[in-house]
Amino acid sequence: MKEIRRLGVFDSGLGGLTVLNEICKYNRGLEISYFGDTARVPYGSRSDETILAYARQDVRFLQSRNVDAIVVACGTVSAIALNSLKSELDFPIFGVIESAANAAIAATKTRSIGIIGTIATIRSGAYMRTIKAKDGDARVYGVACPLLVPLIENGHAPDDEIVELACKRYLSEFKDSGVDTVIMGCTHYPFYKQTLKRLAPEITFIDIGTALAKDLKRLLNLAPSGEGKVEYFVSDSDTGFQAIANGFLDSVRADFINSVNIERY
Amino acid sequence: MKEIRRLGVFDSGLGGLTVLNEICKYNRGLEISYFGDTARVPYGSRSDETILAYARQDVRFLQSRNVDAIVVACGTVSAIALNSLKSELDFPIFGVIESAANAAIAATKTRSIGIIGTIATIRSGAYMRTIKAKDGDARVYGVACPLLVPLIENGHAPDDEIVELACKRYLSEFKDSGVDTVIMGCTHYPFYKQTLKRLAPEITFIDIGTALAKDLKRLLNLAPSGEGKVEYFVSDSDTGFQAIANGFLDSVRADFINSVNIERY
């Protein structure tokens, strides 16, 4: 298996930083190019065709940074476009679903698993299919949460009353389902993990970034070199990306953010 | 002045329909091409450069439909990009700000006027400058309301508790300002006019679509022919545009929605 020195990571916006943070925590010394499509966020309320078209451009941009493999750090793209991207590319590309499904199956005692995600992710049924293929008797319940990405991208804090109201409403849909484990199926959602935990302390919430980051050594022949570094690219400028990123990242920092015209790729 | 038979109208998404509806109510018989950039909505939390780049593509698309004049039915584009677009085009193009400023000045008794709009619109100060140029003694207060467009585009009803909480918080920023008139500075906001009115019955809310529609005959040499018709274009598909549109439009209907790859323009 080819040695992976340079990894590409992308998301619709800020959410993929939760995956990047975990990758850097569990796999030190990699060279990483991160792309956030802030000029076209959110992806999760768009059609499948548009999500695939955007994802292809994101991948082509990261290829231009000479990465050896790509992590799709976006629940929506992982659910909608990963199979198409895999068939089109001749190098490794991973999404967040498989590792999260394994982590959820390992965690649940009731064999009832919930998924919270964007409209597109829930519509796709991708998490459900992946879990059912591994445990045919598992019960899987999906709830679309279209407000969470706009709330996060607009800087609403986890203890904001509007955030609590939205989270409470989404979680109430699992009532009477027996769900004891919920996959946060969008990479933005760990921003609100403490809100979700407070509202439903009996539930185990699976962070798809952590699940993937722990899996990455098994999936790829990683060849970290020296100190490693991350370069950041976004498709829009001046939208507070750096400030929010540095408020969240703890295992790396975003010192400089480059702009990309993603429509050219 | 050239006769205007075919009018182009565009917005980032659904919001411009509130303007289209009013234009059709007050100016029957026009041929109109409507474009909603649903693949890249929302505009209002993006940078000025990105908003201008998107607006140029929207205009080029409408030019390809052979329109004689364009109405920018988007508060954000009107605030950020209208002057640039005007200088680049050799045919009439109008935004929503001028007519709304006139309507607010006519309505206010306290000469204290509030603006609610997207982050980009409030940051631009465009409404404030326009009002101050007409009445130097007017006091103008802007409040950015970044959640309202995502709430509307995701189908949250005006009586939804989350909508009420968001509107209440935004309106509370006018406390002690003496504001008696508030411009709904984004074309999406009339979807929530009844919520805003219920929360602040003492305030006159200005609908920028109505203000512009009433002004259009004065601004343009309109030449309506026969029954008129509207053709609809969106940059994304399958996102419920038609259902929401027909639930809202009353002076026209959206019978068929065409898809456009806006990045090609």
Side-chain angles (χ1 to χ4, degrees):
Chain A
M1 197 198 271
K2 195 190 164 189
E3 284 197 345
I4 306 297
R5 289 182 195 284
R6 292 186 50 75
L7 194 64
V9 177
F10 76 91
D11 177 46
S12 62
L14 290 160
L17 295 173
T18 67
V19 181
L20 175 72
N21 202 47
E22 298 298 298
I23 290 177
C24 293
K25 199 180 288 177
Y26 289 97
N27 310 275
R28 293 198 174 271
L30 286 172
E31 289 186 14
I32 299 181
S33 299
Y34 181 89
F35 173 66
D37 195 2
T38 54
R40 303 188 297 195
V41 71
Y43 281 9
S45 39
R46 314 219 187 273
S47 70
D48 291 1
E49 300 75 42
T50 294
I51 293 164
L52 177 58
Y54 288 178
R56 282 184 176 129
Q57 291 176 312
D58 302 342
V59 165
R60 282 197 288 267
F61 166 68
L62 287 175
Q63 286 180 294
S64 78
R65 303 305 301 164
N66 297 315
V67 300
D68 307 312
I70 287 180
V71 169
V72 179
C74 171
T76 300
V77 174
S78 298
I80 303 297
L82 190 64
N83 288 341
S84 300
L85 295 174
K86 271 186 177 163
S87 69
E88 293 163 9
L89 289 170
D90 58 358
F91 70 91
I93 181 163
F94 295 94
V96 288
I97 291 176
E98 181 90 16
S99 305
N102 289 334
I105 290 169
T108 184
K109 290 189 175 67
T110 60
R111 290 172 94 181
S112 285
I113 297 170
I115 320 289
I116 54 176
T118 64
I119 293 172
T121 296
I122 299 305
R123 180 179 68 219
S124 77
Y127 280 99
M128 192 172 296
R129 278 194 304 280
T130 307
I131 291 169
K132 291 288 237 179
K134 292 168 189 286
D135 178 0
D137 290 334
R139 290 166 302 282
V140 186
Y141 303 87
V143 173
C145 309
L147 283 184
L148 297 191
V149 172
L151 283 165
I152 290 160
E153 294 275 337
N154 283 301
H156 285 261
D159 60 355
D160 184 317
E161 200 184 348
I162 297 176
V163 173
E164 293 202 357
L165 195 57
C167 288
K168 205 168 171 178
R169 184 177 305 173
Y170 294 139
L171 288 174
S172 74
E173 298 195 35
F174 292 121
K175 207 178 56 164
D176 306 325
S177 65
V179 158
D180 67 345
T181 302
V182 170
I183 296 175
M184 294 185 289
C186 167
T187 55
H188 282 75
Y189 297 174
F191 281 95
Y192 291 158
K193 187 171 184 179
Q194 61 186 92
T195 316
L196 296 164
K197 278 301 295 178
R198 196 171 56 246
L199 292 169
E202 72 287 5
I203 286 177
T204 301
F205 288 93
I206 304 292
D207 182 327
I208 57 184
T210 312
L212 178 67
K214 287 182 177 173
D215 249 7
L216 213 56
K217 269 194 197 134
R218 181 178 66 77
L219 296 168
L220 287 173
N221 182 14
L222 297 176
S225 57
E227 296 210 351
K229 64 175 182 199
V230 183
E231 53 175 17
Y232 296 87
F233 298 86
V234 292
S235 50
D236 202 353
S237 55
D238 286 333
T239 54
F241 181 91
Q242 189 171 15
I244 301 181
N246 281 325
F248 174 78
L249 292 167
D250 55 26
S251 59
V252 274
R253 274 192 67 77
D255 291 323
F256 186 78
I257 313 288
N258 308 277
S259 275
V260 179
N261 184 345
I262 192 63
E263 297 187 3
R264 297 222 177 121
Y265 287 86
Chain B
M1 196 198 272
K2 194 191 162 188
E3 284 195 344
I4 306 296
R5 290 183 195 284
R6 292 187 49 76
L7 194 64
V9 176
F10 76 91
D11 177 46
S12 61
L14 290 160
L17 295 172
T18 67
V19 181
L20 175 73
N21 202 47
E22 298 298 299
I23 290 176
C24 293
K25 199 179 288 176
Y26 290 98
N27 310 274
R28 294 196 174 272
L30 287 171
E31 289 185 13
I32 299 180
S33 299
Y34 181 89
F35 173 66
D37 195 2
T38 53
R40 302 187 298 194
V41 71
Y43 281 10
S45 39
R46 314 215 188 273
S47 70
D48 292 2
E49 301 76 41
T50 294
I51 292 163
L52 177 58
Y54 287 178
R56 282 186 177 128
Q57 290 176 312
D58 302 341
V59 165
R60 281 196 289 268
F61 166 68
L62 286 175
Q63 287 180 294
S64 79
R65 304 302 304 162
N66 297 315
V67 300
D68 306 313
I70 287 181
V71 169
V72 180
C74 171
T76 299
V77 174
S78 298
I80 303 297
L82 190 65
N83 288 341
S84 300
L85 295 174
K86 269 186 178 162
S87 69
E88 294 163 8
L89 289 172
D90 59 359
F91 70 90
I93 179 162
F94 296 95
V96 288
I97 292 177
E98 182 91 16
S99 305
N102 289 335
I105 289 168
T108 182
K109 291 188 175 69
T110 60
R111 290 171 95 181
S112 285
I113 296 170
I115 321 290
I116 53 176
T118 64
I119 292 172
T121 296
I122 299 305
R123 181 179 67 217
S124 77
Y127 280 100
M128 192 172 297
R129 277 194 305 280
T130 308
I131 292 169
K132 292 289 236 178
K134 292 167 187 286
D135 178 359
D137 290 334
R139 290 168 302 282
V140 186
Y141 303 87
V143 174
C145 310
L147 282 185
L148 297 190
V149 171
L151 283 164
I152 291 159
E153 294 275 338
N154 283 302
H156 285 261
D159 59 355
D160 184 316
E161 199 184 351
I162 297 176
V163 173
E164 295 203 355
L165 195 57
C167 288
K168 203 168 173 179
R169 185 177 304 174
Y170 294 139
L171 288 173
S172 74
E173 299 196 33
F174 292 121
K175 207 178 57 161
D176 306 326
S177 65
V179 158
D180 69 343
T181 303
V182 169
I183 297 175
M184 294 185 288
C186 166
T187 54
H188 282 75
Y189 297 174
F191 280 95
Y192 290 157
K193 187 171 184 179
Q194 61 185 90
T195 315
L196 295 165
K197 279 299 297 175
R198 195 171 59 245
L199 292 169
E202 73 285 6
I203 286 178
T204 302
F205 288 92
I206 304 292
D207 183 327
I208 57 184
T210 311
L212 177 68
K214 287 182 176 173
D215 249 6
L216 212 57
K217 269 193 198 135
R218 181 178 66 76
L219 297 168
L220 287 174
N221 183 14
L222 297 176
S225 57
E227 297 210 352
K229 63 173 184 202
V230 183
E231 53 176 15
Y232 296 87
F233 298 86
V234 291
S235 49
D236 202 354
S237 55
D238 285 334
T239 54
F241 181 91
Q242 188 170 17
I244 301 181
N246 281 325
F248 175 77
L249 293 166
D250 55 27
S251 58
V252 274
R253 276 193 64 78
D255 290 324
F256 186 78
I257 313 288
N258 307 278
S259 276
V260 180
N261 183 347
I262 192 63
E263 296 187 2
R264 298 224 176 118
Y265 288 86

